[in-house]
Amino acid sequence: MKYSKQRELILQTVTQNPIHPTADAVYEQVRRENPKISLGTVYRNLNFLSELGILRKIPMPVGSDRFDGRLDEHYHMICDCCGRVFDVECDSLQEMDRQIMLRQGFRVLGRHLLLTGVCRECQEKQRDKAAG
Amino acid sequence: MKYSKQRELILQTVTQNPIHPTADAVYEQVRRENPKISLGTVYRNLNFLSELGILRKIPMPVGSDRFDGRLDEHYHMICDCCGRVFDVECDSLQEMDRQIMLRQGFRVLGRHLLLTGVCRECQEKQRDKAAG
DNA sequence: CTACCTGCAAAAGGTTTGCATAGCC
DNA sequence: GGCTATGCAAACCTTTTGCAGGTAG
């Protein structure tokens, strides 16, 4: 891999922001530093870095995919209310893999888990509003 | 909801085929019976029936979304090798919801779990090929 | 009659790609 | 110098949508 300033900026943007940005959000952020960068370059690098395992792509059921600099096994929840994406703290799903192999003979290699719901802050806002 | 022959065909196609078809696959299938049907109508009906809870949409991380006539809580695995989508037999994830609420205060309302891996048949083919 | 549904085709949204140029090593 | 990466813009793929005409109730 050859060095480029663009790639460095893109990588930094994802790893230093725990907000799970979309490609377009990365583009907007990086553009502040390098206004000439193109969206194509952002996509190419995000995909490239994901393939190398330096980033992770989080496919979203609706809207743009997101990117994550955290590499250890973990999952995500998107808040229906504010749209933010959070890391989820829960037990690994690896026990499930064993169960599936025993029952159906499938070898599980990857897991995409995305939960939807309401984050703590939005629950509080809803509560406050209800209370008047 | 007003009756239409198109909607009936679309619903039948999804409920009578356990293959989790894409919208386009439904379209191709339904077209054999009704060659004049449009892809727009297929999409409109699949979405409409999903909103009513008569079908379920399975968002896919790559490629077209799929549709499922099975309504009880269950998950899916896509085989990296043959591309087919299988139902997965495993324990519910509801215990996870409780854990997340306790640890982070998130209220989980929906779950998208898609596993990737190699199905039993493809494992056997790989084994046969390796054995020569 | 009229509200809902359809076919058609165009548009939208997100992402990828071809090509000529620029930059790293 | 050669190979890789970039910027730009066009193409791509899937899905949605506007509209005019058709159909169920």
Side-chain angles (χ1 to χ4, degrees):
Chain A
M1 172 172 33
K2 200 170 277 191
Y3 174 86
S4 83
K5 188 66 188 163
Q6 288 90 331
R7 183 172 293 154
E8 181 176 5
L9 270 169
I10 290 164
L11 179 57
Q12 261 182 31
T13 300
V14 176
T15 53
Q16 293 177 6
N17 289 288
I19 64 162
H20 311 96
T22 60
D24 202 67
V26 173
Y27 175 58
E28 288 305 331
Q29 172 73 29
V30 167
R31 223 138 71 107
R32 290 182 211 157
E33 192 102 358
N34 176 351
K36 300 286 291 179
I37 200 170
S38 79
L39 185 55
T41 295
V42 172
Y43 271 104
R44 264 187 297 237
N45 276 294
L46 289 172
N47 285 334
F48 183 57
L49 294 168
S50 300
E51 275 158 31
L52 293 182
I54 295 171
L55 292 181
R56 279 180 55 192
K57 183 189 278 203
I58 316 172
M60 303 296 289
V62 65
S64 303
D65 292 343
R66 288 163 174 273
F67 293 86
D68 192 348
R70 193 178 146 185
L71 297 176
D72 61 301
E73 189 191 349
H74 70 287
Y75 307 105
H76 298 97
M77 195 190 88
I78 182 165
C79 177
D80 293 331
C81 192
C82 63
R84 286 182 296 173
V85 173
F86 299 89
D87 289 336
V88 150
E89 307 299 334
C90 64
D91 292 345
S92 159
L93 293 180
Q94 293 188 9
E95 173 56 27
M96 179 181 279
D97 300 350
R98 205 181 57 87
Q99 202 177 85
I100 292 165
M101 174 54 91
L102 284 173
R103 292 189 190 166
Q104 297 173 281
F106 295 155
R107 181 186 309 282
V108 174
L109 298 174
R111 304 167 204 86
H112 297 281
L113 175 63
L114 184 76
L115 303 173
T116 63
V118 187
C119 74
R120 185 197 294 262
E121 279 181 48
C122 286
Q123 286 174 56
E124 282 164 7
K125 276 183 204 143
Q126 287 174 1
R127 213 174 294 138
D128 293 350
K129 205 185 286 172
Chain B
M1 173 173 30
K2 200 171 276 188
Y3 174 86
S4 83
K5 186 67 187 163
Q6 289 90 331
R7 182 171 295 154
E8 181 176 4
L9 269 170
I10 290 163
L11 180 55
Q12 261 181 31
T13 299
V14 177
T15 52
Q16 294 176 6
N17 290 288
I19 63 160
H20 313 95
T22 60
D24 202 66
V26 173
Y27 176 57
E28 289 304 331
Q29 171 74 27
V30 166
R31 223 139 70 107
R32 290 182 210 158
E33 192 102 358
N34 176 350
K36 299 285 293 179
I37 201 171
S38 78
L39 184 55
T41 295
V42 172
Y43 270 105
R44 264 188 297 239
N45 277 294
L46 289 172
N47 284 334
F48 183 56
L49 294 168
S50 299
E51 275 159 31
L52 293 182
I54 295 172
L55 292 182
R56 280 180 54 192
K57 183 190 279 203
I58 317 173
M60 302 296 288
V62 66
S64 303
D65 291 344
R66 290 165 173 272
F67 293 86
D68 193 348
R70 193 178 145 185
L71 299 176
D72 60 302
E73 188 190 351
H74 70 287
Y75 307 105
H76 298 97
M77 195 191 88
I78 182 165
C79 177
D80 292 331
C81 191
C82 63
R84 286 183 295 175
V85 174
F86 299 89
D87 289 335
V88 150
E89 307 300 335
C90 66
D91 293 344
S92 160
L93 293 180
Q94 293 188 10
E95 173 56 27
M96 178 181 280
D97 300 351
R98 205 181 57 88
Q99 201 177 86
I100 291 165
M101 174 54 92
L102 283 174
R103 293 189 189 167
Q104 296 174 280
F106 295 156
R107 182 186 308 283
V108 174
L109 298 174
R111 302 167 206 87
H112 298 280
L113 174 64
L114 184 76
L115 303 174
T116 63
V118 186
C119 74
R120 185 197 294 263
E121 281 180 48
C122 285
Q123 286 174 58
E124 283 165 7
K125 275 182 206 146
Q126 287 174 0
R127 213 173 295 138
D128 293 351
K129 205 185 288 172

mmCIF file of all heavy atoms in Angstrom, chain B residues 27-43:
data_model
loop_
_atom_site.group_PDB
_atom_site.id
_atom_site.type_symbol
_atom_site.label_atom_id
_atom_site.label_comp_id
_atom_site.label_asym_id
_atom_site.label_seq_id
_atom_site.Cartn_x
_atom_site.Cartn_y
_atom_site.Cartn_z
ATOM 1 N N TYR B 27 -40.686 -10.863 -9.103
ATOM 2 C CA TYR B 27 -41.134 -10.312 -10.382
ATOM 3 C C TYR B 27 -41.035 -11.352 -11.493
ATOM 4 O O TYR B 27 -41.995 -11.594 -12.235
ATOM 5 C CB TYR B 27 -40.272 -9.099 -10.707
ATOM 6 C CG TYR B 27 -40.500 -8.429 -12.035
ATOM 7 C CD1 TYR B 27 -41.751 -7.936 -12.387
ATOM 8 C CD2 TYR B 27 -39.444 -8.280 -12.928
ATOM 9 C CE1 TYR B 27 -41.937 -7.300 -13.611
ATOM 10 C CE2 TYR B 27 -39.625 -7.645 -14.142
ATOM 11 C CZ TYR B 27 -40.865 -7.157 -14.486
ATOM 12 O OH TYR B 27 -41.044 -6.540 -15.683
ATOM 13 N N GLU B 28 -39.891 -11.999 -11.597
ATOM 14 C CA GLU B 28 -39.696 -12.999 -12.648
ATOM 15 C C GLU B 28 -40.678 -14.157 -12.518
ATOM 16 O O GLU B 28 -41.231 -14.644 -13.498
ATOM 17 C CB GLU B 28 -38.258 -13.534 -12.622
ATOM 18 C CG GLU B 28 -37.212 -12.537 -13.097
ATOM 19 C CD GLU B 28 -37.489 -12.002 -14.506
ATOM 20 O OE1 GLU B 28 -38.098 -12.726 -15.324
ATOM 21 O OE2 GLU B 28 -37.111 -10.840 -14.778
ATOM 22 N N GLN B 29 -40.899 -14.553 -11.279
ATOM 23 C CA GLN B 29 -41.819 -15.660 -11.016
ATOM 24 C C GLN B 29 -43.250 -15.278 -11.374
ATOM 25 O O GLN B 29 -43.957 -16.002 -12.075
ATOM 26 C CB GLN B 29 -41.722 -16.035 -9.534
ATOM 27 C CG GLN B 29 -42.759 -17.027 -9.042
ATOM 28 C CD GLN B 29 -42.470 -18.436 -9.521
ATOM 29 O OE1 GLN B 29 -41.327 -18.788 -9.770
ATOM 30 N NE2 GLN B 29 -43.509 -19.226 -9.672
ATOM 31 N N VAL B 30 -43.677 -14.114 -10.899
ATOM 32 C CA VAL B 30 -45.062 -13.678 -11.087
ATOM 33 C C VAL B 30 -45.343 -13.409 -12.570
ATOM 34 O O VAL B 30 -46.459 -13.594 -13.050
ATOM 35 C CB VAL B 30 -45.323 -12.426 -10.222
ATOM 36 C CG1 VAL B 30 -46.598 -11.724 -10.615
ATOM 37 C CG2 VAL B 30 -45.367 -12.813 -8.745
ATOM 38 N N ARG B 31 -44.308 -12.995 -13.275
ATOM 39 C CA ARG B 31 -44.450 -12.672 -14.688
ATOM 40 C C ARG B 31 -44.862 -13.876 -15.531
ATOM 41 O O ARG B 31 -45.457 -13.707 -16.600
ATOM 42 C CB ARG B 31 -43.132 -12.125 -15.221
ATOM 43 C CG ARG B 31 -43.300 -10.932 -16.117
ATOM 44 C CD ARG B 31 -42.268 -9.912 -15.832
ATOM 45 N NE ARG B 31 -40.950 -10.342 -16.249
ATOM 46 C CZ ARG B 31 -40.317 -9.844 -17.328
ATOM 47 N NH1 ARG B 31 -40.931 -8.961 -18.085
ATOM 48 N NH2 ARG B 31 -39.102 -10.204 -17.600
ATOM 49 N N ARG B 32 -44.539 -15.046 -15.061
ATOM 50 C CA ARG B 32 -44.931 -16.245 -15.816
ATOM 51 C C ARG B 32 -46.451 -16.369 -15.863
ATOM 52 O O ARG B 32 -47.011 -16.831 -16.846
ATOM 53 C CB ARG B 32 -44.360 -17.503 -15.158
ATOM 54 C CG ARG B 32 -42.856 -17.572 -15.314
ATOM 55 C CD ARG B 32 -42.287 -18.835 -14.706
ATOM 56 N NE ARG B 32 -40.923 -18.572 -14.223
ATOM 57 C CZ ARG B 32 -40.295 -19.286 -13.303
ATOM 58 N NH1 ARG B 32 -40.899 -20.322 -12.735
ATOM 59 N NH2 ARG B 32 -39.075 -18.971 -12.934
ATOM 60 N N GLU B 33 -47.061 -15.948 -14.792
ATOM 61 C CA GLU B 33 -48.535 -16.026 -14.691
ATOM 62 C C GLU B 33 -49.167 -14.777 -15.297
ATOM 63 O O GLU B 33 -50.218 -14.846 -15.923
ATOM 64 C CB GLU B 33 -48.928 -16.120 -13.213
ATOM 65 C CG GLU B 33 -50.366 -16.485 -12.967
ATOM 66 C CD GLU B 33 -50.484 -17.961 -12.579
ATOM 67 O OE1 GLU B 33 -49.446 -18.681 -12.548
ATOM 68 O OE2 GLU B 33 -51.605 -18.395 -12.306
ATOM 69 N N ASN B 34 -48.524 -13.630 -15.056
ATOM 70 C CA ASN B 34 -49.084 -12.355 -15.505
ATOM 71 C C ASN B 34 -47.969 -11.522 -16.157
ATOM 72 O O ASN B 34 -47.340 -10.701 -15.502
ATOM 73 C CB ASN B 34 -49.674 -11.624 -14.286
ATOM 74 C CG ASN B 34 -50.192 -10.243 -14.651
ATOM 75 O OD1 ASN B 34 -49.964 -9.744 -15.758
ATOM 76 N ND2 ASN B 34 -50.876 -9.613 -13.713
ATOM 77 N N PRO B 35 -47.757 -11.721 -17.431
ATOM 78 C CA PRO B 35 -46.615 -11.103 -18.110
ATOM 79 C C PRO B 35 -46.661 -9.579 -18.162
ATOM 80 O O PRO B 35 -45.645 -8.942 -18.434
ATOM 81 C CB PRO B 35 -46.693 -11.681 -19.532
ATOM 82 C CG PRO B 35 -47.548 -12.893 -19.428
ATOM 83 C CD PRO B 35 -48.514 -12.596 -18.332
ATOM 84 N N LYS B 36 -47.816 -8.991 -17.872
ATOM 85 C CA LYS B 36 -47.940 -7.536 -17.955
ATOM 86 C C LYS B 36 -47.593 -6.828 -16.649
ATOM 87 O O LYS B 36 -47.568 -5.606 -16.584
ATOM 88 C CB LYS B 36 -49.373 -7.156 -18.353
ATOM 89 C CG LYS B 36 -49.826 -7.689 -19.698
ATOM 90 C CD LYS B 36 -49.194 -6.916 -20.849
ATOM 91 C CE LYS B 36 -49.723 -5.471 -20.891
ATOM 92 N NZ LYS B 36 -49.101 -4.710 -21.979
ATOM 93 N N ILE B 37 -47.374 -7.581 -15.599
ATOM 94 C CA ILE B 37 -47.139 -6.946 -14.294
ATOM 95 C C ILE B 37 -45.846 -6.116 -14.342
ATOM 96 O O ILE B 37 -44.919 -6.438 -15.084
ATOM 97 C CB ILE B 37 -47.063 -7.995 -13.162
ATOM 98 C CG1 ILE B 37 -47.336 -7.332 -11.814
ATOM 99 C CG2 ILE B 37 -45.728 -8.709 -13.202
ATOM 100 C CD1 ILE B 37 -47.486 -8.330 -10.692
ATOM 101 N N SER B 38 -45.812 -5.044 -13.574
ATOM 102 C CA SER B 38 -44.625 -4.193 -13.581
ATOM 103 C C SER B 38 -43.827 -4.381 -12.296
ATOM 104 O O SER B 38 -44.371 -4.719 -11.241
ATOM 105 C CB SER B 38 -45.018 -2.734 -13.740
ATOM 106 O OG SER B 38 -45.473 -2.221 -12.527
ATOM 107 N N LEU B 39 -42.527 -4.123 -12.412
ATOM 108 C CA LEU B 39 -41.643 -4.257 -11.261
ATOM 109 C C LEU B 39 -42.058 -3.290 -10.153
ATOM 110 O O LEU B 39 -41.979 -3.620 -8.972
ATOM 111 C CB LEU B 39 -40.210 -3.994 -11.707
ATOM 112 C CG LEU B 39 -39.101 -4.172 -10.690
ATOM 113 C CD1 LEU B 39 -39.128 -5.557 -10.076
ATOM 114 C CD2 LEU B 39 -37.745 -3.918 -11.335
ATOM 115 N N GLY B 40 -42.517 -2.106 -10.531
ATOM 116 C CA GLY B 40 -43.011 -1.147 -9.548
ATOM 117 C C GLY B 40 -44.120 -1.712 -8.687
ATOM 118 O O GLY B 40 -44.146 -1.518 -7.471
ATOM 119 N N THR B 41 -45.035 -2.407 -9.318
ATOM 120 C CA THR B 41 -46.140 -3.028 -8.581
ATOM 121 C C THR B 41 -45.616 -4.076 -7.610
ATOM 122 O O THR B 41 -46.107 -4.194 -6.480
ATOM 123 C CB THR B 41 -47.117 -3.665 -9.581
ATOM 124 O OG1 THR B 41 -47.701 -2.617 -10.359
ATOM 125 C CG2 THR B 41 -48.217 -4.432 -8.873
ATOM 126 N N VAL B 42 -44.626 -4.832 -8.033
ATOM 127 C CA VAL B 42 -44.050 -5.844 -7.155
ATOM 128 C C VAL B 42 -43.427 -5.174 -5.932
ATOM 129 O O VAL B 42 -43.709 -5.563 -4.788
ATOM 130 C CB VAL B 42 -43.011 -6.690 -7.911
ATOM 131 C CG1 VAL B 42 -42.271 -7.617 -6.952
ATOM 132 C CG2 VAL B 42 -43.683 -7.495 -9.012
ATOM 133 N N TYR B 43 -42.640 -4.158 -6.141
ATOM 134 C CA TYR B 43 -42.029 -3.440 -5.026
ATOM 135 C C TYR B 43 -43.098 -2.826 -4.128
ATOM 136 O O TYR B 43 -43.022 -2.921 -2.906
ATOM 137 C CB TYR B 43 -41.104 -2.339 -5.541
ATOM 138 C CG TYR B 43 -39.689 -2.798 -5.759
ATOM 139 C CD1 TYR B 43 -39.213 -3.021 -7.031
ATOM 140 C CD2 TYR B 43 -38.834 -3.011 -4.683
ATOM 141 C CE1 TYR B 43 -37.900 -3.434 -7.242
ATOM 142 C CE2 TYR B 43 -37.534 -3.420 -4.888
ATOM 143 C CZ TYR B 43 -37.063 -3.633 -6.171
ATOM 144 O OH TYR B 43 -35.778 -4.041 -6.355
#
